[in-house]
Amino acid sequence: MRIVMMATGDIAIPSFHALERTGELVALITQPDRPVGRHMTLTPPRIKVCAEQAGIPVFQPEKMRDPEAVAQLRAYRPDVVVVMAYGQILSQEVIDVPTLACINAHASLLPRHRGAACIQAAIEAGDDETGITIMHVVKKLDAGDIITRVRVPLLGRETAESLHDDLAELAPKALTEALEMLAAGKDERTEQDESLMTYAPKLMRADGLIDWHQPAVQVARKIRAYHSWPGTYTIYPSVKSGTDKPLKIFPPVDLFSTLKKPADSLPGMVLESGPDGMLVSCGGPHGGAVRIMTMQPVGARKMNAESFFAGHKIPAGTILGLPSVQS
């Protein structure tokens, strides 16, 4: 079986190595090198480096739908194209190139959490489980027939970063199972139930702003779900500068979902602050609060609460997330 892999994200690296070990991987198609960091250094996808080290040919078209790119894919004569975190929508012409199938490894239990932010969505929604789904690629996003799924429980401690790594290691098992089925002519297609579909669109940095009107359990989930991309933050009135400044917030946080709070407490109000952390009131029908223990102000390093409050002041009664009143 001749296999071409189309992948860019780091989550695909363990699957790449699993395919490379079979001796059936004939090429990697990945995104072009991109400028990265403050100095905009042209940087290749990490999976490209893996392929070059393994002696696997690499192809990096700007647009996979271009005729020249389709022609190059045909030249590889693939029986199967494996797609995982590639970053481009495929045309029907591309999907039709392999002789057996064009399949995709997706980091959720489809049809739940179609889209780019599927890992974050599972944590933020409080799902009991997630996993890897191997499906046939169709033009509609993540909507193809399912070949197989591998499940993993969610324990309520995961961050998007840790879950990303767990699913990356789980994916080769699901992919190997699907490829064995295709090779044996036992392609068991299961149509997705559209009534169960949810969508997890690509996240932007601004999506990380915490809404303190949400219940504490939801705020805590978001802090875990958005670590390390796009990250979570709030706005606080700086006593030093007299201006509102963003403050990055990191897991873990202590959750007090049924905390009895002062009658005059408001969502986003700081109830306590000091070396043990910053206790912030949350909203929603059951209220509650979260204790933040790791944070990062603009232009400074990430620090624990003891270090932060040694040089910054956010006194009890401060309202986070709201612009300070201008005189």
Side-chain angles (χ1 to χ4, degrees):
M1 182 186 294
R2 294 176 61 84
I3 300 172
V4 171
M5 187 174 200
M6 301 177 67
T8 303
D10 288 354
I11 194 172
I13 290 176
S15 294
F16 167 84
H17 287 305
L19 294 176
E20 186 262 325
R21 285 192 295 268
T22 68
E24 298 177 324
L25 185 63
V26 298
L28 170 73
I29 298 177
T30 189
Q31 296 274 43
D33 299 359
R34 304 291 189 195
V36 173
R38 180 177 299 176
H39 301 291
M40 301 300 284
T41 304
L42 197 62
T43 305
R46 285 184 59 211
I47 197 168
K48 173 188 175 180
V49 177
C50 295
E52 290 176 336
Q53 292 172 345
I56 300 295
V58 177
F59 179 45
Q60 295 177 275
E62 191 67 45
K63 294 182 180 179
M64 192 60 222
R65 63 177 61 246
D66 287 347
E68 297 82 0
V70 178
Q72 180 60 63
L73 177 59
R74 289 199 180 102
Y76 292 132
R77 297 181 291 110
D79 297 305
V80 176
V81 169
V82 173
V83 184
M84 188 174 189
Y86 175 50
Q88 293 189 32
I89 301 296
L90 302 184
S91 66
Q92 191 62 50
E93 190 176 17
V94 170
I95 295 169
D96 291 340
V97 168
T99 57
L100 284 179
C102 183
I103 62 175
N104 176 255
H106 183 77
S108 81
L109 297 176
L110 292 172
R112 188 160 177 78
H113 306 315
R114 292 178 184 172
C118 47
I119 294 175
Q120 292 94 332
I123 295 173
E124 190 171 16
D127 290 356
D128 293 328
E129 62 176 358
T130 188
I132 295 289
T133 299
I134 310 296
M135 63 177 170
H136 287 274
V137 177
V138 295
K139 288 189 70 175
K140 186 176 180 181
L141 182 66
D142 299 332
D145 290 349
I146 294 170
I147 302 173
T148 189
R149 292 188 289 191
V150 177
R151 300 171 183 270
V152 62
L154 295 178
L155 305 177
R157 299 188 297 269
E158 300 84 359
T159 66
E161 185 174 65
S162 69
L163 184 55
H164 169 283
D165 294 347
D166 290 344
L167 292 175
E169 296 299 327
L170 187 66
K173 176 183 177 183
L175 188 56
T176 299
E177 182 179 327
L179 290 171
E180 288 175 349
M181 293 168 67
L182 289 170
K186 298 178 180 178
D187 180 9
E188 299 179 4
R189 291 172 172 258
T190 301
E191 187 176 351
Q192 294 190 38
D193 185 344
E194 291 293 320
S195 69
L196 301 177
M197 188 274 289
T198 61
Y199 180 57
K202 182 178 179 179
L203 294 170
M204 308 301 288
R205 195 174 296 277
D207 294 322
L209 179 63
I210 292 175
D211 179 3
W212 297 107
H213 289 81
Q214 291 187 322
V217 64
Q218 194 63 42
V219 171
R221 284 176 186 166
K222 180 167 183 168
I223 293 170
R224 290 190 294 110
Y226 286 34
H227 179 72
S228 56
W229 174 259
T232 48
Y233 68 98
T234 190
I235 306 295
Y236 76 103
S238 171
V239 174
K240 281 186 177 181
S241 66
T243 59
D244 297 317
K245 291 189 174 183
L247 180 68
K248 292 183 180 179
I249 295 171
F250 299 86
V253 297
D254 285 341
L255 171 63
F256 302 91
S257 57
T258 58
L259 179 71
K260 187 175 182 180
K261 299 180 294 185
D264 61 349
S265 64
L266 299 170
M269 179 179 284
V270 175
L271 304 177
E272 301 172 6
S273 64
D276 293 329
M278 181 167 62
L279 186 66
V280 184
S281 174
C282 299
H286 303 294
V290 294
R291 187 183 299 279
I292 299 163
M293 295 172 285
T294 308
M295 55 208 85
Q296 182 179 7
V298 173
R301 61 181 175 82
K302 176 180 173 181
M303 60 188 83
N304 60 26
E306 183 176 7
S307 297
F308 177 82
F309 286 112
H312 300 80
K313 290 184 179 180
I314 306 181
T318 301
I319 304 294
L320 302 179
L322 296 175
S324 59
V325 177
Q326 303 295 322
S327 58

